[in-house]
């Protein structure tokens, strides 16, 4: 039976960690993810779990220790945000290339500079090419649910890749919402025990982890890693189906909200999807055919699936909570349009940058985006293809 509670996103993830009871958790505090290791260490101190908690001197060390523990055969995880993830950069690549199925709970926070502790997706997007699976949450419930699904995905024999479970800093991590928790025994049965086939501390079967790879083998290793990421798409969907059986909650690579007959669709990721859905409900009452696609899985990127979901609309707004500094748009803007082109889906698109460093994103701004899309299609009014939402007008950007 589901347990009804009120929890912040950080509390929900920490509760999920308690239920899974991983073997090892190295961690170093950084806002706004600090509460997660703090709460887990409290569970350990109270004797509720027997996870080995390792306080380390930096985030680089926390990921190093997690990789070491995972290589030794222990189920491991850590948590971080922002500059902490950036400091892990070298180790993120090693975790993925060494095929370590560990989990990182990332509480999204803007990367400096200027220094800022509020939410955007620049940290997760900065690590998008490190070989990790990335799953994003809209709300606290999804942060909890995504964490519970992370190990069955990561540890699947077709995958063996690390998973980054992402939620928006402060917006979900610290805000309290109603949530449905699963019972401990249900979670334990769903996640199961970790039984690695190969690991360092396996007596009589020595292996090397992370050895030097000569030119004749390195390229093949990278291709195998890429193939595992491709295969993870199907595993993510399989795990979601199994999770639906125990929770009643359905997940996919993305969620389609009122898109069946939509002329205009907003593609968005994270907590702002709730704002977009509210605006869609309001505009539907006015007879506007609008909808939202909320991207849940950013890596592996579901390019073909998104193209199919968008092919019947007239125009799409592609929303990035991150600046790529390429002069052409954000990460989603680049990848969605490339996917559309390769699938020969030729619809109008506009890429918007919003919510950087915690800037508010409002229902009225969603109205404006849909209005601009309609103006573009119905009246032929040109729209700037790469534009900021909510930028203060101070006499010109410098």
């Amino acid at each position: 039976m589901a347990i009804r509670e009120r929890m912040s996103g950080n509390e929900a993830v920490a509760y999920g960690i308690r239920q899974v009871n991983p073997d090892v958790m190295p961690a170093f505090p950084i806002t706004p993810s600090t509460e997660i290791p703090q709460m887990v260490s409290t569970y350990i101190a109270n004797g509720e779990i027997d996870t080995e908690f390792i306080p380390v001197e930096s985030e680089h060390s926390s990921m190093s220790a997690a990789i070491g523990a995972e290589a030794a055969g222990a189920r491991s995880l850590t948590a971080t945000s922002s500059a902490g993830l950036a400091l892990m950069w070298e180790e993120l690549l090693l975790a993925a290339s060494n095929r370590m199925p560990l989990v990182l709970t990332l509480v999204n926070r803007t990367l400096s500079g200027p220094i800022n502790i509020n939410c955007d997706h620049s940290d997760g997007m900065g690590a998008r090419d490190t070989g990790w699976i990335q799953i994003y949450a809209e709300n606290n419930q999804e942060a909890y649910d995504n964490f519970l699904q992370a190990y069955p995905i990561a540890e699947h024999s077709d995958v063996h890749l690390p998973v980054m479970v992402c939620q928006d800093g402060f917006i979900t991590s610290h805000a309290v919402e109603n949530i449905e928790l699963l019972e401990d025994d249900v979670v334990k049965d769903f996640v199961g025990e970790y039984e690695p086939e190969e690991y360092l501390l396996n007596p009589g079967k020595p292996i090397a982890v992370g050895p030097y790879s000569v030119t004749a083998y390195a390229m093949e290793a990278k291709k195998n890693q890429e193939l595992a990421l491709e295969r993870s798409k199907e595993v993510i969907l399989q795990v979601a189906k199994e999770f639906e059986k125990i929770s009643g909650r359905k997940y996919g690579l993305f969620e389609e909200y009122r898109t069946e007959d939509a002329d205009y669709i907003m593609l968005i990721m994270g907590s702002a999807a709730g704002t977009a859905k509210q605006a869609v409900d309001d505009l539907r009452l006015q007879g506007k055919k609008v909808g939202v696609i909320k991207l849940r899985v950013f890596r592996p990127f579901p390019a073909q699936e998104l193209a199919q979901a968008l092919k019947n609309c007239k125009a799409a707004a592609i929303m990035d909570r991150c600046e790529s500094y390429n002069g052409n748009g954000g990460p989603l803007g680049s990848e969605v349009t490339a996917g559309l082109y390769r699938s020969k889906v030729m619809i109008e698109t506009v890429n918007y940058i919003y919510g950087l460093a915690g800037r508010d994103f409002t229902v009225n701004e969603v109205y404006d985006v849909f209005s601009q899309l309609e103006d573009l299609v119905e009246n032929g009014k040109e729209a700037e293809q790469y534009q900021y939402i909510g930028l203060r007008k101070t006499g010109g950007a410098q």
Side-chain angles (χ1 to χ4, degrees):
M1 182 179 293
I3 303 165
R4 296 183 183 276
E5 253 299 354
R6 298 184 191 89
M7 285 186 170
S8 70
N10 280 347
E11 286 180 292
V13 169
Y15 192 89
I17 293 170
R18 182 195 66 76
Q19 292 181 304
V20 172
N21 191 16
D23 299 307
V24 179
M25 184 178 186
F28 187 85
I30 183 170
T31 302
S33 67
T34 300
E35 288 181 327
I36 295 175
Q38 175 188 343
M39 292 171 185
V40 172
S41 64
T42 301
Y43 286 134
I44 296 168
N46 291 342
E48 296 181 62
I49 53 175
D50 57 7
T51 302
E52 184 71 29
F53 187 86
I54 307 174
V56 291
E57 74 275 12
S58 74
E59 291 87 355
H60 185 281
S61 298
S62 68
M63 184 53 66
S64 297
I67 291 170
E70 194 74 43
R75 181 180 272 165
S76 62
L77 84 154
T78 189
T80 197
S81 297
S82 185
L85 189 70
L87 188 55
M88 290 179 181
W89 174 256
E90 174 192 12
E91 301 302 316
L92 294 175
L93 294 157
L94 292 175
S97 63
N98 286 323
R99 308 295 294 277
M100 296 289 127
L102 57 87
V103 173
L104 167 67
T105 64
L106 177 67
V107 182
N108 294 112
R109 166 188 154 186
T110 190
L111 279 169
S112 298
I115 190 168
N116 181 282
I117 64 167
N118 298 305
C119 173
D120 65 30
H121 295 157
S122 53
D123 50 5
M125 293 296 104
R128 65 186 180 272
D129 296 333
T130 56
W132 284 61
I133 295 166
Q134 289 190 352
I135 305 176
Y136 283 76
E138 176 186 341
N139 51 41
N140 304 5
Q141 184 72 65
E142 291 186 11
Y144 171 75
D145 293 349
N146 288 345
F147 176 78
L148 296 185
Q149 294 174 65
Y151 281 113
I153 294 167
E155 295 169 0
H156 194 283
S157 59
D158 288 341
V159 180
H160 256 264
L161 288 171
V163 175
M164 201 175 289
V165 180
C166 308
Q167 63 168 315
D168 286 354
F170 294 109
I171 300 169
T172 62
S173 67
H174 285 63
V176 174
E177 292 181 341
N178 290 334
I179 189 172
E180 282 194 1
L181 304 167
L182 299 176
E183 294 178 323
D184 290 359
D185 58 343
V186 174
V187 171
K188 290 186 188 303
D189 288 343
F190 174 73
V191 177
E193 294 294 328
Y194 182 40
E195 297 177 355
E197 184 178 348
E198 305 282 357
Y199 54 99
L200 288 172
L201 300 183
N202 189 359
K205 195 177 181 182
I207 63 167
V209 175
Y212 178 74
S213 182
V214 297
T215 304
Y217 297 100
M219 193 167 177
E220 285 70 25
K222 290 181 181 294
K223 180 59 179 177
N224 282 332
Q225 186 181 336
E226 192 277 329
L227 290 172
L229 198 63
E230 288 183 28
R231 291 193 299 268
S232 73
K233 220 184 264 188
E234 185 57 38
V235 173
I236 290 167
L237 295 175
Q238 289 173 9
V239 170
K241 286 180 182 177
E242 293 302 311
F243 187 77
E244 185 181 3
K245 291 176 185 177
I246 63 171
S247 69
R249 295 185 288 276
K250 186 173 183 177
Y251 289 98
L253 302 175
F254 51 84
E255 175 192 344
E256 297 182 74
Y257 186 78
R258 308 192 75 165
T259 59
E260 299 86 353
D261 62 342
D263 291 330
Y264 307 103
I265 293 176
M266 176 175 285
L267 176 65
I268 199 163
M269 192 162 63
S271 61
T275 303
K277 290 175 183 177
Q278 179 61 58
V280 162
D281 289 345
D282 296 345
L283 292 172
R284 281 280 177 172
L285 293 174
Q286 300 174 27
K288 303 288 186 182
K289 292 183 177 180
V290 295
V292 172
I293 292 178
K294 179 187 72 184
L295 186 59
R296 174 178 178 244
V297 178
F298 181 70
R299 285 287 185 271
F301 189 72
Q304 292 181 330
E305 294 86 348
L306 284 173
Q308 288 302 304
L310 290 167
K311 68 179 182 179
N312 294 321
C313 75
K314 295 177 180 178
I318 306 170
M319 313 299 292
D320 269 294
R321 199 162 197 162
C322 173
E323 172 60 83
S324 269
Y325 299 110
N326 63 10
N328 193 52
L332 273 179
S334 298
E335 300 208 15
V336 173
T337 51
L340 291 172
Y341 179 81
R342 288 182 178 176
S343 295
K344 296 180 172 57
V345 175
M346 300 304 169
I347 61 170
E348 296 282 359
T349 63
V350 181
N351 188 197
Y352 298 88
I353 308 295
Y354 77 99
L356 300 187
R359 182 66 57 89
D360 284 344
F361 180 59
T362 68
V363 171
N364 284 331
E365 286 169 338
V366 180
Y367 297 158
D368 291 342
V369 168
F370 280 122
S371 178
Q372 190 175 49
L373 292 184
E374 186 176 22
D375 225 11
L376 170 65
V377 172
E378 301 299 329
N379 303 318
K381 185 176 180 180
E382 288 297 319
E384 184 183 348
Q385 289 300 304
Y386 164 42
Q387 54 181 286
Y388 276 58
I389 292 176
L391 191 67
R392 290 189 301 112
K393 304 300 181 183
T394 57
Q398 298 296 317

